[in-house]
Amino acid sequence: MAGKQIDKDIESLIKLTDSTIGELRGYVSNLKGETDEVEGDALILAIKQQAVKFREFYDVTIRVEADDFQINDRLAAEIFQIVSEGLSNIKRHTKAKTGTIRLYEEAETLFLEIENENEMPDAVSEFLPKSIAGRAASLGGAACVERLDSRTKILVEIPL
């Protein structure tokens, strides 16, 4: 019985991700014009819409915080995929009801933070989501996990 629920959850996540990736591609196409550069706003809008859908599907509220930045369309799609994987991990591996996604640029590096409630703050569990770490590495960056008092944060750094 549990296997059927997991299959249903995975199917919902796939539909959610596919829908939002399609929307992101539309935003990027409309904004990029003559170059492959896109405003970070297109990515942020897509992430905010993903957060709204995530709340509707799973009753998990995700706050999105972002600075202004410009990245190429390929990187925007990769960042969006990392966010989707992070949201999927929140749903699959935690009981969190809130989270935060932060995007900001500093010293020619794009930082992405995916943070959620930590229902077991005293638990000592070393983990690093392989798919997120692998995607970050393929972009020349890195990922790590920080455990805070009542939150867990995945920090992804991508050089621009």
Side-chain angles (χ1 to χ4, degrees):
M1 193 70 154
K4 288 183 181 181
Q5 182 59 41
I6 291 171
D7 289 344
K8 187 177 177 182
D9 288 347
I10 291 171
E11 184 178 323
S12 292
L13 279 171
I14 289 169
K15 287 179 183 177
L16 176 65
T17 300
D18 286 346
S19 168
T20 310
I21 286 175
E23 291 170 5
L24 176 62
R25 286 185 178 133
Y27 296 131
V28 168
S29 294
N30 289 336
L31 290 175
K32 75 178 192 177
E34 297 295 316
T35 71
D36 287 336
E37 293 291 312
V38 296
E39 295 289 332
D41 292 348
L43 174 61
I44 300 313
L45 181 58
I47 291 172
K48 285 181 178 180
Q49 288 182 335
Q50 179 86 336
V52 167
K53 289 178 184 178
F54 197 74
R55 185 182 68 237
E56 290 170 358
F57 273 80
Y58 303 112
D59 195 31
V60 178
T61 301
I62 304 294
R63 187 174 70 238
V64 179
E65 301 172 356
D67 292 343
D68 291 331
F69 55 87
Q70 285 204 348
I71 57 176
N72 66 51
D73 57 345
R74 178 183 172 270
L75 182 55
E78 293 289 337
I79 294 297
F80 184 81
Q81 187 60 37
I82 291 171
V83 168
S84 296
E85 291 170 10
L87 292 175
S88 174
N89 287 342
I90 290 172
K91 170 62 180 143
R92 289 178 38 210
H93 301 297
T94 77
K95 295 178 183 174
K97 289 296 181 185
T98 64
T100 304
I101 296 170
R102 287 182 198 89
L103 274 162
Y104 55 96
E105 181 183 347
E106 191 174 288
E108 298 197 25
T109 301
L110 183 66
F111 291 90
L112 166 63
E113 298 177 4
I114 304 169
E115 188 175 301
N116 62 271
E117 300 167 310
N118 181 2
E119 64 272 7
M120 299 179 296
D122 295 330
V124 178
S125 172
E126 294 299 320
F127 76 97
L128 179 61
K130 291 178 187 175
S131 61
I132 291 174
R135 196 172 294 273
S138 74
L139 297 167
C144 66
V145 175
E146 295 178 6
R147 286 197 172 266
L148 310 168
D149 288 339
S150 61
R151 319 258 322 144
T152 300
K153 176 172 38 175
I154 299 171
L155 176 62
V156 179
E157 301 178 27
I158 308 291
L160 296 175

